[in-house]
Amino acid sequence: MAKQLLLIDGNSIVFRAFFAMHNQIDKFTNKDGLHTAAIYGFKLMLDHVLENFHPDAALVAFDAGKVTFRTKMYADYKGGRNKTPEELTEQFPYVRELVRDSGLHTYELKDYEADDIIGTLAKEGDEAGYETLIVTGDRDLTQLASNHTTVAVTHKGVTDTEHYTPEHVKEKLGITPTQIIDMKALMGDSSDNYPGVTKIGEKTAIKLVKQFGSVEGIYENIDQLKKSKMKEHLVEEEAIARQCKTLATILRDAPIDIKLADLNYNGPQTEKLIDFYQKMDFRSFLKKLDVLSDEQEVEIAPIKYTELTANNLELVSQLGDRGSFYLEMPDANYHTSPFAGFVIGNGKQWLVSRDSELLKTKQVREWLADSAIKKDVFNAKAQIVGLNRLGIELKGIDFDLLLASYLLNTNDNSNDLGKLAQEHEYADVQTDEEVYGKGVKRAIPNDEIFFKHLANKARAIEKLRSSLFKQLDENEQLPLYTDIELPLAHVLAKMEITGVHVNAQTLKDMGSKLTERLAEIKEQIYQEAGEEFNVNSTKQLGQILFEKLKLPVIKKTKTGYSTAVDVLEKLAPQAPIVENILQYRQISKLQSTYIKGLLKVIHSSDQKIHTRYLQTLTQTGRLSSVDPNLQNIPVRLPEGRQIRRAFVPSYDGWQIFSSDYSQVELRVLAHITGDHNLQEDFKNGEDIHASTARRIFHLKPEERIDRDMRRRAKAVNFGIVYGISDYGLAQRIHVSRSQAHEFIQSYFKEFPKVKDYIHDTIEFARKNGYVETITHRRRYLPDINAKNFSRRSFAERTAMNTPIQGSAADIIKIAMIRMQDELEKHHLKAKMLLQIHDELVFEAPKEEISVLSRLVPDVMDSAVKLAVPLKVDSKYGDTWYDLKK
DNA sequence: TCGTTCACG
DNA sequence: ACGTACGTGAACGAT
């Protein structure tokens, strides 16, 4: 077998590793305060590569400095780059140390870049019969791909790579690897800061290279090009194009003073690596080495536990004033999941059992219900609901690992305790999948393994408490945790336990009518199509519409023809079948998701639906609702709205009551931007879309605002909140892109501080890597500095949207906590049932409706003090459908 | 398991 | 030249 050569582009991988882990930058520091994320990421990459590739020779090349022969030739080369952050530069010496301890050679050469070293050695490798793998974060190196050299470019993160062979390059770009140089010469490279030829981008560059072979080929045959602007640019900028080609070309003959023979790879120097890991506090890598040397099973620090039985319950009372508690419910739905066992305890003693009946004993029950004993848990809400099913109260919750972890970083949040602990650099607990298995094989294991796992979980919660609290404090998030999210978990638990009464018969009656209608429409569709097919299949439907009936294709998806509503609406005038398909879709959605779906989840014991609110999922701080989702019950279309007739109060003589915030997101926008005009409009109680229309269309006071103007202004308002683009706005309100552009400009002129806010927020995100809401809820945006345009743009839109959507979420959460307090304080029978982002739904005895009509809006509009008033509207009725003012 | 579609704020 | 408004969940067919 051919010898194998590994060449790693040190600088680009270090950069990649650093930015890939940028959102956790503070988590990766050693005890001396050294940042270690890039070092850690580099090692991840290295291990990953060496798993699949076993080199005989290996080298990591680094840049020797900023000055190279390229900067001497072209002063602006790589100009305009941001200064490398200090947190990164300090890591380079350690990366080199790591590389050498790992048994790889390092090399750098004055005046040359790492690329050139790699290019030169790869060529030598090719000639000496090596199979070479180049690993880099820089796509430019793909020009080095050959029959015996593969270039692995990191894709996202550091271990996910895309392998470029000449075939792969051909497939992706249609050219050879060396032609990539010509392509880049023509199109330029904004990150290396050389221009290429004006107006030539990737598409045009590839076309030219395919046609003429190379930059030189183009100029030899320039006469063949028809007269055009492009030709003029090419002719005028010939010198630039040729110079860019030199800049883009990686050297294959740099004057290096090492030889392949010097680069033997003989594996890592384990002793040194262990020292290094200790210096860096890389616990997980240390664990891995232990596994290798000690066979197995030392993975997790040993733990002692005691099985709790009816005969040693006094141990619970002896635990003291703090302890972890964890009730294992193996199904995600804790309203119905069996109880597999529990653990209770602290560093002194871990008590475990499979018998949930023991929880009902006096000793345990009192321990759980004693608010003076602080409890550390994972997912407080689930624990409260689970225990409630056993008739047990859980009081004194102090630390919720899941909740705290979510607040620290919404991105890498997991519902699995083991995974989450690992995210926080705690390795002494496995994931449920590792212990219980997955799919059909998932099962609770024998006592020994199961009890140990439970004890490990409880210990992990305890061990992580102080560090997570400390991080919350550093982020100024303690009040968010203590005063909002943790109390909210209790409120949500109550709402979930209460549930919503749903009349199954109403749904069944609606269902049978819909079944009939569906059958009729389906018949008509088959007639019009001339054959029977599965209308639910977008693939089959596409074939019927666009191939058989030859309707024009308006939009395509990755997999074929798009048949989405906006497309079908455009086609509707051309063929009657389309209208029927739209009808069919609408009704079958109601039938499958809402009639059948809801009937499936009504609990037979109480005729209620008990949703679960996910408190630790969304990136903005909103809740979400599952099993079932009660936050998307139809309301917009009259047919769908009927579903709400089935949502009824739990008792005779009760009614449904609902209050919602009016325009809460735009009010938040007015508040956080400080925009004078926007604030005035709200303070004056204006119809905000109408007043926006008046401003952006420059209407005189006496001119009236027609419906269409208001509609457009409303779309602009939405657009602003979502991160507007002229294209997006144009699509939505059916105007030209340039008109949409004008609307936006006009908006920014009228509301100048909104424009400033967008700019400042994006700047803040670039600098800090995150954005935050009025309560310091954070969202990290790792893509905010991405090179890829669309990823970066997306991050920019979320940067400006998240503080708005998230602050609105904060506001209603505060209102919910206060509302629950008020209900209890006033001894009201009314129950809070649902939260739908800006709306709270209650059930209450008729006598209490007048109380709620004052109380709920009072609580909601005073939840926080903003620079503009909050407005709340209320309605009530006999069912959720019948709500009226 | 993924992609598409469509329900909501 | 890019590729298009933010945040969700469920059902279904295709793979």
Side-chain angles (χ1 to χ4, degrees), chain A residues 6-14 16-17 21 37-53 59-60 62 95 98-99 104 133-137 152-154 157-161 285 288:
Chain A
L6 174 64
L7 298 170
I8 296 174
D9 181 355
N11 282 70
S12 78
I13 294 291
V14 172
R16 271 299 178 123
M21 307 187 124
I39 307 167
Y40 185 87
F42 195 98
K43 180 61 183 168
L44 276 185
M45 177 282 300
L46 201 55
D47 285 352
H48 182 76
V49 169
L50 291 174
E51 234 169 67
N52 305 309
F53 190 78
L59 175 102
V60 181
F62 288 96
V95 172
L98 166 75
V99 168
L104 288 79
L133 177 69
I134 297 173
V135 182
T136 177
V153 181
T154 55
V158 271
T159 55
D160 183 5
T161 52
F285 287 135
K288 259 192 207 164

Side-chain angles (χ1 to χ4, degrees), chain A residues 165 594 714 808:
Chain A
T165 56
Y594 296 104
K714 185 175 171 181

Side-chain angles (χ1 to χ4, degrees), chain A residues 261-278:
Chain A
D262 304 330
L263 301 181
N264 285 344
Y265 172 74
N266 299 313
Q269 300 177 281
T270 313
E271 294 293 307
K272 284 190 172 178
L273 264 186
I274 290 174
D275 282 350
F276 183 79
Y277 291 162
Q278 271 160 354

